[in-house]
Amino acid sequence: MRYAILCYSCEDAVGAWTLEEERAVMGRLAVVEGRLMREGRLGPTARLLPTTSATTLRKSRKNVVLDGPFAETKEQLLGFYVVDCVDLEQAIETALELAGANPSGGAYEIRPIDTMSLNLPQTLLLQKPLP
């Protein structure tokens, strides 16, 4: 089963990292990502640009498009991973590894993906197709 691991944290705290802190965190994440890739379990990943670059569609009777991240949250979605896991327990273990590589606090939301609704070839969902 494929899971999305959504990475939430305080954007200001992450943005305040020194270059050395940034490199250290990215290096630790690269170790986890490399292992997942070798195991054929890593799908698309993305680090999102700051929320100052966001545009929001506010849903209501009359939809409104606004500049900026106007979802009312204390933590922001900073990125995501798509991983293939045997079950939720393995997805949690994977999220724990990612969390251990990134000391910035925040939360990792783990959600199963309904790949049938994506209508994409498996090679686009995972970098290495499953046997």
Side-chain angles (χ1 to χ4, degrees):
M1 168 148 261
R2 288 178 190 85
Y3 289 86
I5 300 176
L6 308 174
C7 309
Y8 292 89
S9 193
C10 177
E11 183 175 72
D12 291 338
V14 172
W17 287 347
T18 65
L19 183 57
E20 292 78 24
E21 290 170 319
E22 172 84 14
R23 286 181 177 157
V25 170
M26 292 301 113
R28 290 190 300 267
L29 287 172
V31 170
V32 177
E33 292 167 3
R35 183 185 54 75
L36 292 171
M37 190 177 300
R38 286 188 302 280
E39 293 173 358
R41 296 180 42 222
L42 185 64
T45 65
R47 184 174 184 182
L48 302 177
L49 291 176
T51 55
T52 55
S53 66
T55 300
T56 299
L57 171 65
R58 177 64 62 194
K59 299 185 327 180
S60 63
R61 287 185 182 183
K62 181 180 177 187
N63 293 332
V64 178
V65 177
L66 305 167
D67 288 335
F70 293 104
E72 296 182 18
T73 62
K74 293 180 181 179
E75 296 171 334
Q76 295 77 36
L77 175 63
L78 300 185
F80 65 87
Y81 293 85
V82 173
V83 295
D84 193 61
C85 299
V86 174
D87 54 20
L88 178 59
E89 184 176 322
Q90 187 180 38
I92 291 170
E93 290 171 8
T94 302
L96 284 167
E97 286 185 78
L98 292 166
N102 184 348
S104 67
Y108 286 74
E109 181 180 344
I110 304 160
R111 297 177 64 179
I113 297 174
D114 178 5
T115 56
M116 297 301 289
S117 67
L118 293 177
N119 203 18
L120 294 173
Q122 184 168 343
T123 55
L124 292 177
L125 295 173
L126 291 174
Q127 293 174 0
K128 177 182 173 189
L130 297 175

